[in-house]
Amino acid sequence: MKGLCSPLVLLLAVLGRLGEGSWTDGHSLTRRGADNSGLESFVRHRYPTVVAFGDYLYVDGGELLQQTNGTETNSTQLGQSYSLSALNSTLSLRLDEAWTNETVKFRSIPKTAPLLDQQIYWTDTPINTFYTWGGMAVGTATPPANELWLFNADGTGGGAWSQVPQGDFRDFSRLRRPVGSSFTQTARVGYALGGQVTSKTDRSIQKEDPGYAVPGLVSYDFQTGQWTNISTAGYQGYGTNLNGQAEYVPFGPNGLLLFFGGAEAPVDATAGSIVQLSWNMLTLYDPVTGKWYTQLTNGMRPPLVERACSVGVEGPNNTYEIFIYGGTSDQWGVVSSDVYVLSLPGFIFFKADSLGTRRADHACVVVGKGKRQMLSYGGVDGGSGLRSTTTTPDPWRQGIGIFDMTEMKWMDSYDPNATNYDVPAQVSSWYVEGGMNNVMWTSDEVKQLFLNGSSITYGATSNSSSTENSDSSHSGRRIGGIVGGTVGGVIFISVTCAVAFLLLRRRRRRQSAISEEISEYRPEPWPKDTPRLRSTTPGTMMTLEPTPIEPVEISGTARGELPGEDVDWTYELPVPTPRTRPELPDRKYTF
Ligand SMILES: *[C@@H]1O[C@H](CO)[C@@H](O)[C@H](O)[C@H]1NC(C)=O
Ligand SMILES: *[C@@H]1O[C@H](CO)[C@@H](O)[C@H](O)[C@H]1NC(C)=O
Ligand SMILES: *[C@@H]1O[C@H](CO)[C@@H](O)[C@H](O)[C@H]1NC(C)=O
Ligand SMILES: *[C@@H]1O[C@H](CO)[C@@H](O)[C@H](O)[C@H]1NC(C)=O
Ligand SMILES: *[C@@H]1O[C@H](CO)[C@@H](O)[C@H](O)[C@H]1NC(C)=O
Ligand SMILES: *[C@@H]1O[C@H](CO)[C@@H](O)[C@H](O)[C@H]1NC(C)=O
Ligand SMILES: *[C@@H]1O[C@H](CO)[C@@H](O)[C@H](O)[C@H]1NC(C)=O
Ligand SMILES: *[C@@H]1O[C@H](CO)[C@@H](O)[C@H](O)[C@H]1NC(C)=O
Ligand SMILES: *[C@@H]1O[C@H](CO)[C@@H](O)[C@H](O)[C@H]1NC(C)=O
């Protein structure tokens, strides 16, 4: 598998193919053919949307590079051996049975929504629905009007598409149609930061890629149908973000949106003005108070990348880990094959030793009951907008990889019964060895958000903890006490980071004027399967009444070092969540 990843294996001159096929009428239903997909002809699937509900995984959107009849795979004669076209249908895959990528079988579901690359997608878990918004027209197609679509899964591997009527048409119609936004969600609100608008994403834009970088954080409330566009004036240099990642993390009273990776550019972007963002300092947003924060990171940070994929998973001891796979790196000049994990609240990065395959413009999602496996689907290792101008055929059959997040290694097969996710050994030893003592909080406010009410037991093993603990009416105190006193270091680190950041900014992105395809992609998250809250009839969304929000309290016992040190804790969640996994204010990964 390693050999196949060699950049020398440039089998396919896909530049100018992935992204400019002959598909001219992307969203006209009448002209839409069936996919002639299948294991035999699969070469690559770029820009997919991947969502899991209950026992099924759904794959939608993007473009398929397929092998046509009977020619050798090392042909460079494009168009003879290979074809590139939009995925015409939505695919589904069973997650309740074991498979390998040799045996996996997709089912094809007819699709009436526009065929697009790199869509923004949000899942409304309680009603088995995912929404798609934005995205880029495939090939030479013109982009559709600004529309929000939803796919309503039927729970048996099928489902139906419908357009969502807009109750908040005034605000919706003001929005541009972006691609490459960093998106995530809470249980009931979807968020998309930045992105780009080009002639291939928005009919009102003439400028070709890279078009305009979009400032603002757009939100869409699934229940009220309300759209907002929140100012990002304080975010990074321009308030813009291209092809980055976002995760909702369950810390603080309201949960926080964490933004990482990707690039920034001035609004009137040029290929040379796009600069990939540093990992040294990550940005956080409190969706309830509307406050922005930053926090420094430590450990083995990934190379600067765009178009990676990420998933988030909660550890058994109240850490929250974010796994980041692949992405294209200007810094390293390649598409990355590595998986990194960022653990919160430690803000510490680790790298997996297990070798993956180079991949960008793919999507990831947590699968299996134990939420221990990350499924990566699709992606390319070259093509327009990436460092290499050509992509190789996917070294993974059908573009599927399974990563065991506890073992931190790539697996040969999917196991629906894999045991529960536990924190990887190197991450837990960092906490056990007192790593939290060295976290440099950028402010007391951020520290409070991450440690107040926390029941993390790691790092609290110092011998002084029993005394510090004596007044803890809320358990976060224990860590808070240990972490104090490191503020001086913050200044030094900040200066170091600022210098590093300035150096990085100088780095010009790509020398060549290769036309840059927009992208990003999002891995994702999702769902649980208790249908409720509102009608699942497609197309009736906007008539829904807003449901009153009741805070949800959860509680438990944090294990102390000694039995006598156990601490009871409660945690108030911002939104009602499906009762199957009440501990996350947000996304559900349960099956
Ligand atoms: C989608 O339909 C078109 C038109 O029939 C066809 O040319 C194309 O190959 C189909 N896409 C796939 C992935 O098969
Ligand atoms: C390839 O050719 C075989 C017969 O030679 C035919 O059955 C098959 O459908 C063809 N496949 C494609 C993708 O055209
Ligand atoms: C394809 O690769 C094989 C083995 O690597 C080689 O013998 C053959 O000549 C190649 N064909 C073309 C058209 O390059
Ligand atoms: C998973 O567990 C279920 C129930 O225990 C069992 O029926 C099924 O065979 C298991 N599947 C695999 C692949 O082990
Ligand atoms: C959000 O607002 C900003 C500032 O007004 C604007 O430039 C941007 O285009 C808006 N975002 C979208 C997606 O329309
Ligand atoms: C997928 O296929 C490749 C090659 O066939 C194999 O090396 C890899 O281990 C497989 N991965 C999974 C998750 O099955
Ligand atoms: C800290 O916890 C207390 C008690 O749980 C709560 O009242 C307070 O609002 C919390 N502060 C922050 C910043 O979360
Ligand atoms: C903590 O206490 C244990 C015994 O209670 C002792 O063995 C250990 O050396 C102490 N560690 C530190 C860092 O003081
Ligand atoms: C997590 O906490 C449990 C008890 O709550 C403990 O048994 C386990 O060792 C902890 N995990 C790690 C990695 O420390």
Side-chain angles (χ1 to χ4, degrees):
M1 144 173 22
K2 292 159 208 162
L4 281 172
C5 295
S6 159
L8 297 175
V9 187
L10 304 180
L11 297 181
L12 308 165
V14 166
L15 173 64
R17 292 289 303 176
L18 284 191
E20 70 167 63
S22 55
W23 186 237
T24 53
D25 197 2
H27 44 284
S28 153
L29 238 189
T30 49
R31 306 264 294 272
R32 188 169 296 170
D35 286 313
N36 80 62
S37 49
L39 272 176
E40 312 71 35
S41 60
F42 181 91
V43 179
R44 284 282 186 178
H45 188 169
R46 190 176 191 179
Y47 303 127
T49 292
V50 179
V51 168
F53 289 114
D55 287 337
Y56 294 88
L57 181 84
Y58 294 89
V59 172
D60 181 62
E63 49 196 57
L64 272 178
L65 183 65
Q66 293 177 301
Q67 193 173 352
T68 53
N69 242 339
T71 30
E72 61 262 55
T73 52
N74 54 0
S75 168
T76 52
Q77 290 290 105
L78 265 172
Q80 295 193 2
S81 318
Y82 299 97
S83 69
L84 180 80
S85 59
L87 178 66
N88 296 310
S89 55
T90 299
L91 307 177
S92 74
L93 169 61
R94 292 189 75 118
L95 290 174
D96 58 353
E97 57 190 26
W99 40 256
T100 69
N101 56 11
E102 305 282 333
T103 63
V104 67
K105 264 247 164 300
F106 282 104
R107 165 177 166 190
S108 174
I109 306 160
K111 179 173 175 182
T112 52
L115 306 181
L116 292 163
D117 283 339
Q118 226 191 332
Q119 306 165 102
I120 289 164
Y121 48 102
W122 296 307
T123 60
D124 196 349
T125 304
I127 59 165
N128 284 336
T129 289
F130 68 88
Y131 301 92
T132 60
W133 180 58
M136 184 168 59
V138 181
T140 55
T142 47
N146 195 15
E147 296 166 346
L148 178 73
W149 283 76
L150 71 78
F151 177 80
N152 189 224
D154 65 9
T156 59
W161 283 94
S162 57
Q163 191 182 338
V164 184
Q166 292 304 314
D168 184 14
F169 187 74
R170 195 161 145 271
D171 286 333
F172 184 62
S173 61
R174 284 189 189 141
L175 296 175
R176 303 290 198 190
R177 276 189 86 259
V179 70
S181 309
S182 301
F183 58 92
T184 187
Q185 61 179 104
T186 62
R188 49 175 275 158
V189 181
Y191 295 90
L193 173 72
Q196 290 161 270
V197 291
T198 74
S199 56
K200 286 183 61 183
T201 75
D202 188 312
R203 289 174 177 179
S204 69
I205 305 284
Q206 259 86 59
K207 194 179 171 208
E208 292 184 358
D209 185 81
Y212 301 98
V214 183
L217 171 64
V218 172
S219 74
Y220 173 66
D221 187 312
F222 308 153
Q223 290 176 18
T224 64
Q226 193 182 10
W227 292 86
T228 59
N229 182 356
I230 300 150
S231 169
T232 50
Y235 171 77
Q236 298 289 353
Y238 309 102
T240 63
N241 181 285
L242 283 60
N243 305 315
Q245 301 297 125
E247 290 289 338
Y248 176 82
V249 299
F251 292 93
N254 310 313
L256 294 163
L257 310 185
L258 176 70
F259 298 103
F260 51 98
E264 66 170 347
V267 170
D268 194 359
T270 59
S273 65
I274 301 172
V275 177
Q276 293 182 340
L277 293 168
S278 163
W279 293 99
N280 294 345
M281 182 114 78
L282 303 183
T283 303
L284 296 148
Y285 175 77
D286 184 321
V288 172
T289 63
K291 282 191 177 168
W292 293 85
Y293 303 95
T294 55
Q295 174 55 36
L296 299 166
T297 64
N298 224 320
M300 174 85 77
R301 301 181 186 93
L304 310 189
V305 289
E306 291 168 67
R307 308 163 189 242
C309 75
S310 68
V311 298
V313 58
E314 187 170 44
N317 291 346
N318 296 296
T319 61
Y320 194 82
E321 278 77 41
I322 293 164
F323 289 81
I324 301 156
Y325 170 42
T328 180
S329 170
D330 290 344
Q331 184 188 21
W332 286 12
V334 293
V335 169
S336 167
S337 57
D338 295 323
V339 176
Y340 288 83
V341 56
L342 168 66
S343 181
L344 305 180
F347 282 92
I348 179 86
F349 280 104
F350 299 88
K351 178 175 179 287
D353 295 330
S354 181
L355 203 67
T357 57
R358 299 187 190 285
R359 214 166 280 277
D361 291 327
H362 52 314
C364 297
V365 68
V366 177
V367 291
K369 294 185 198 77
K371 299 199 299 183
R372 175 191 179 108
Q373 299 159 97
M374 173 176 79
L375 180 151
S376 168
Y377 177 81
V380 290
D381 62 355
S384 65
L386 302 184
R387 296 288 304 197
S388 165
T389 55
T390 57
T391 187
T392 61
D394 205 312
W396 285 339
R397 296 266 296 178
Q398 202 73 10
I400 297 177
I402 297 287
F403 185 78
D404 183 316
M405 296 187 284
T406 299
E407 296 291 329
M408 294 275 270
K409 69 177 193 210
W410 291 100
M411 308 298 285
D412 293 333
S413 59
Y414 165 70
D415 177 5
N417 297 340
T419 55
N420 289 348
Y421 169 73
D422 197 358
V423 177
Q426 49 179 329
V427 177
S428 70
S429 6
W430 183 86
Y431 284 99
V432 168
E433 286 159 14
M436 285 304 292
N437 300 347
N438 301 319
V439 173
M440 307 292 185
W441 296 102
T442 39
S443 70
D444 276 350
E445 211 174 345
V446 173
K447 181 170 140 185
Q448 279 294 303
L449 286 170
F450 280 89
L451 299 183
N452 186 21
S454 159
S455 55
I456 294 190
T457 54
Y458 300 120
T461 53
S462 111
N463 285 358
S464 58
S465 64
S466 50
T467 48
E468 278 172 23
N469 208 21
S470 56
D471 72 334
S472 69
S473 50
H474 36 276
S475 55
R477 280 289 166 72
R478 298 176 61 191
I479 288 184
I482 292 163
V483 166
T486 52
V487 176
V490 172
I491 293 162
F492 170 75
I493 297 275
S494 301
V495 170
T496 311
C497 292
V499 170
F501 181 66
L502 288 175
L503 291 175
L504 288 167
R505 283 183 64 112
R506 293 232 177 114
R507 193 180 283 278
R508 280 296 107 136
R509 190 179 165 108
R510 286 170 247 283
Q511 258 49 43
S512 69
I514 289 174
S515 91
E516 192 142 274
E517 220 79 325
I518 322 165
S519 323
E520 91 105 354
Y521 246 51
R522 246 287 52 154
E524 243 4 85
W526 77 86
K528 198 8 254 173
D529 33 9
T530 26
R532 53 202 188 86
L533 288 191
R534 61 187 155 101
S535 160
T536 56
T537 311
T540 58
M541 313 301 289
M542 67 188 243
T543 59
L544 300 166
E545 302 280 299
T547 313
I549 310 176
E550 295 159 352
V552 176
E553 271 204 345
I554 59 169
S555 58
T557 302
R559 183 82 66 87
E561 198 183 10
L562 301 170
E565 292 176 13
D566 286 2
V567 180
D568 291 329
W569 54 274
T570 60
Y571 189 67
E572 196 174 272
L573 302 180
V575 292
T577 54
R579 55 182 85 78
T580 40
R581 277 197 54 85
E583 67 273 42
L584 269 181
D586 192 26
R587 296 169 175 166
K588 300 291 116 195
Y589 299 86
T590 317
F591 289 87

